[in-house]
Amino acid sequence: MNKLPRAYFIVLVLIYSGVFFTLLSALTGFVFVEKRSQLSKERREVALNLAEAGLEYYRWHLAHWPSDLQDGTGAPGPYVHIVPDPEGGELGNFSLTIGGTTSCGKVTDVQITSVGTATADPIFKRTLTAKYTRPSVADYSHIVNANVWAGADRVINGPYHSNGGVRMDGAHNAEVTSGVATWLCTSTFGCSPSATHVGVWGAGSNPSLWGYPKPAIDFNGISVDLVALKGYATSSGRYLAPSGNYGYKIVFNSNGTFTSYRVTGTTQVWGYTTENDWVQERPVITAMTATTTYTIPAGCPVIFVEDNVWLEGTVNGKVTLAAADVTQSNVDRSIIIPNNITYASTTGHGLTAIGENNVLIGLTTPSTMSISGIFIAQKGRFGRNHYCASECDSDHSGSEGLPSNLD
């Protein structure tokens, strides 16, 4: 009679034991899977950190040897670096593949691919790519080293900075910053009587984007080595010698060429600047001759003109143009923009135009004008002068009011 309950008990023990061991096995397997997943995640993170270390290492390398694309070896890559573990042994390594873009024999940007591998599990590799270039004034739409008034007719795309005060009445879509907390706005900037204002003020479209005071930008750091540019243009680019007259008109063509005209006649007018008061200048061309069309060299797209330049057209590709006289120390050349400067398309094109003295918008321009590019006035200013009306007398008392886009 007692054997039957004992048999039931044994069966129950076996059943519950089976269930227990099944659950234990499942739990143990889950723990092992989770542990393996955690280790894999850690090793992937280590590999990612190693790849980042490779990019940071070569950024440091470029800061010391900016033209070295071979990791100091003089031999082709990839270049493998072992990373030690602070607790002993090796944490892993990163492998670098390095390429670059050159212009006129100089490195302009560097592309790096870094592959990180953890020693604990070489299966997990992480790859990062980066492109490094030097800081550029192209980060801004305008950089001005004086007080400035951007009028209501201005449409500004991109950051706008002045080391002085800013009266911003135009439309803009990015930060407008000033290097000063306050400044004296005079009649030159539309304040009559003169009044003290904060660094940025006016009727502009986005006051929430205004900031002051902000760190000043060192204009000495923006200076371009014009002698070096002349050397590049003479050896591998395009060089135009002094015209013997008033300078050259240069028109960029959409097929990657430019056409130059020797300017033989100009109109003399009175122009006003806040720096020099009234001066005589010749911004309007009346006669030209000697048309020549040049291809812009792809390997060294530098044009150096040892004279004044009237500049316009459609830029195809990337090109640097300088107007300067590096032979005569007392002669500084300028660029005048009388018409639109545009790009052949929205990507892959760029113009840097450098005037040894000024870069000025001309007297006669389209009613709506579009100018694309980076413009650097090495010793002078970028903007548009105020011009005296035809009925002005000798003291210019009949002149037109200062234009709102006087920069």
Side-chain angles (χ1 to χ4, degrees):
M1 295 294 295
N2 296 328
K3 291 182 178 180
L4 188 57
R6 192 178 297 121
Y8 281 125
F9 178 75
I10 294 172
V11 171
L12 289 174
V13 169
L14 291 174
I15 292 173
Y16 281 112
S17 297
V19 172
F20 173 76
F21 283 112
T22 300
L23 292 175
L24 181 61
S25 298
L27 179 61
T28 303
F30 175 76
V31 171
F32 280 123
V33 169
E34 284 295 304
K35 181 63 175 177
R36 188 179 299 112
S37 176
Q38 183 64 29
L39 287 174
S40 298
K41 183 178 179 180
E42 290 178 0
R43 290 162 183 170
R44 285 196 296 270
E45 288 298 316
V46 169
L48 178 61
N49 291 336
L50 290 167
E52 290 178 340
L55 295 181
E56 290 299 314
Y57 157 73
Y58 216 77
R59 185 172 70 167
W60 168 86
H61 187 90
L62 288 172
H64 294 80
W65 299 279
S67 298
D68 181 17
L69 303 183
Q70 296 183 319
D71 198 16
T73 66
Y79 310 99
V80 179
H81 291 259
I82 304 298
V83 179
D85 189 334
E87 298 180 357
E90 295 179 1
L91 193 61
N93 67 74
F94 56 79
S95 175
L96 301 176
T97 302
I98 304 168
T101 303
T102 60
S103 180
C104 304
K106 299 293 183 180
V107 176
T108 57
D109 58 64
V110 180
Q111 301 91 38
I112 303 171
T113 299
S114 177
V115 180
T117 305
T119 299
D121 198 338
I123 294 177
F124 297 110
K125 299 178 183 291
R126 302 299 292 271
T127 302
L128 295 175
T129 59
K131 182 177 181 179
Y132 292 119
T133 61
R134 291 185 174 93
S136 170
V137 293
D139 294 339
Y140 293 86
S141 65
H142 289 73
I143 306 175
V144 186
N145 199 30
N147 298 334
V148 62
W149 179 10
D153 59 342
R154 295 286 296 279
V155 178
I156 300 167
N157 297 308
Y160 189 106
H161 176 84
S162 171
N163 286 343
V166 179
R167 177 172 177 176
M168 177 54 67
D169 291 336
H172 60 93
N173 60 7
E175 287 189 329
V176 178
T177 55
S178 165
V180 299
T182 61
W183 61 293
L184 182 65
C185 177
T186 65
S187 59
T188 299
F189 305 95
C191 294
S192 183
S194 299
T196 298
H197 287 279
V198 295
V200 183
W201 74 282
S205 60
N206 286 300
S208 62
L209 296 176
W210 298 352
Y212 54 86
K214 297 292 184 179
I217 292 176
D218 180 11
F219 270 66
N220 291 328
I222 301 176
S223 297
V224 179
D225 188 342
L226 295 171
V227 175
L229 280 182
K230 179 180 178 180
Y232 298 147
T234 303
S235 61
S236 306
R238 296 294 181 190
Y239 170 75
L240 300 184
S243 66
N245 288 282
Y246 295 103
Y248 294 91
K249 177 180 179 180
I250 289 182
V251 180
F252 289 110
N253 305 311
S254 60
N255 62 356
T257 65
F258 72 91
T259 302
S260 71
Y261 306 80
R262 193 181 302 269
V263 178
T264 57
T266 60
T267 297
Q268 180 173 283
V269 299
W270 284 100
Y272 178 85
T273 70
T274 56
E275 301 86 4
N276 300 314
D277 200 7
W278 290 99
V279 295
Q280 291 184 339
E281 54 183 89
R282 293 181 171 274
V284 180
I285 297 174
T286 58
M288 299 182 297
T289 187
T291 302
T292 307
T293 297
Y294 302 90
T295 299
I296 301 174
C300 187
V302 174
I303 304 168
F304 190 94
V305 183
E306 205 138 19
D307 214 324
N308 295 314
V309 171
W310 283 258
L311 189 63
E312 62 182 76
T314 301
V315 178
N316 188 328
K318 294 184 178 181
V319 60
T320 297
L321 180 143
D325 189 324
V326 296
T327 303
Q328 304 178 77
S329 59
N330 61 337
V331 177
D332 297 324
R333 301 301 186 180
S334 294
I335 294 174
I336 298 171
I337 305 174
N339 210 333
N340 297 325
I341 299 176
T342 59
Y343 292 156
S345 65
T346 56
T347 59
H349 308 289
L351 167 68
T352 300
I354 305 155
E356 184 181 19
N357 190 25
N358 296 320
V359 178
L360 298 176
I361 309 301
L363 169 59
T364 57
T365 62
S367 298
T368 300
M369 192 172 185
S370 177
I371 303 174
S372 299
I374 300 169
F375 301 94
I376 300 174
Q378 188 96 321
K379 299 179 181 179
R381 55 189 286 274
F382 172 84
R384 185 176 189 272
N385 292 339
H386 165 47
Y387 294 103
C388 185
S390 59
E391 67 273 14
C392 292
D393 57 25
S394 59
D395 65 359
H396 320 297
S397 60
S399 61
E400 302 165 346
L402 287 170
S404 58
N405 66 343
L406 181 64
D407 279 355

